[in-house]
Amino acid sequence: MSKRADAVVRRLSEGIRLGLLVADEHLPSESDLAESFGVSPVTIREALTTLREQGLVVTRRGRNGGSFVRHVRGGAAELLRERLREVSPAELRDLADHYAAISGTSALLAAHRAGEPDLALITDSVSELQRAADAAGRRRAVSRFQVELAAAAQSPRLIRAVIGMQAEVGPLLWLATTGDADRVEVLRRHREIHAAVLAGDGTRARAQAVAHVYGALARAGALQRTLLAGDEDGGPPGGAPAEVRAW
């Protein structure tokens, strides 16, 4: 498998295991996926073949056919622990710096460029987070909010960058939530960004979006230290910490 196809497989498989892509969800067409990932349709077909072999995707024929996500049991907590152990604190901070720059710019431009349909979608994504009843629903709502901001910025490059960052660092940042107070904080930040965009205040929207990312970084760093301390203490590798289960 080519390096580009392997990168697509890695991003899509993590999205599936983390619940960002849900069971039975219809994946975009090969041409749309190719555009999103910046690769050729041939590369996408190669990646989808591998995902089918891994049991993560199923392809159905017919008028309503295409590639669909298959149900995966319980992979999110395990994958998150593995990734947090592997990434260094400096790399995690660097990823957050990149994400903050992208998210902040998306919010800034959205405040100046969003039309009524864009604002309606952003509003709905905030409501989706408030309504979310489980971890998978909250992850999807947070991810959708970031993508809707980029879409409202009217920049295809920003949309691709946000989607890429969601796959690369989103799970590390947005899943590291330790309890009810943190979930309330995430919802509050979403509402503040939303209010600034609605008011056309790009400076405030960017500031809130950047603060949102760095708040997530602080929680991710704390969770990382807890996981690594557990490794040093010889804690059971299979047990998911309360911080991971809570989100």
Side-chain angles (χ1 to χ4, degrees), residues 36-49:
S36 296
F37 285 102
V39 298
S40 70
V42 172
T43 298
I44 294 298
R45 284 194 288 273
E46 184 180 3
L48 290 174
T49 297

Side-chain angles (χ1 to χ4, degrees), residues 170-193:
L172 296 182
L173 295 180
W174 307 120
L175 300 185
T177 300
T178 59
D180 291 341
D182 293 317
R183 290 196 288 271
V184 169
E185 171 65 12
V186 169
L187 180 58
R188 182 181 72 84
R189 286 290 186 187
H190 277 224
R191 286 172 170 165
E192 290 178 347
I193 297 167

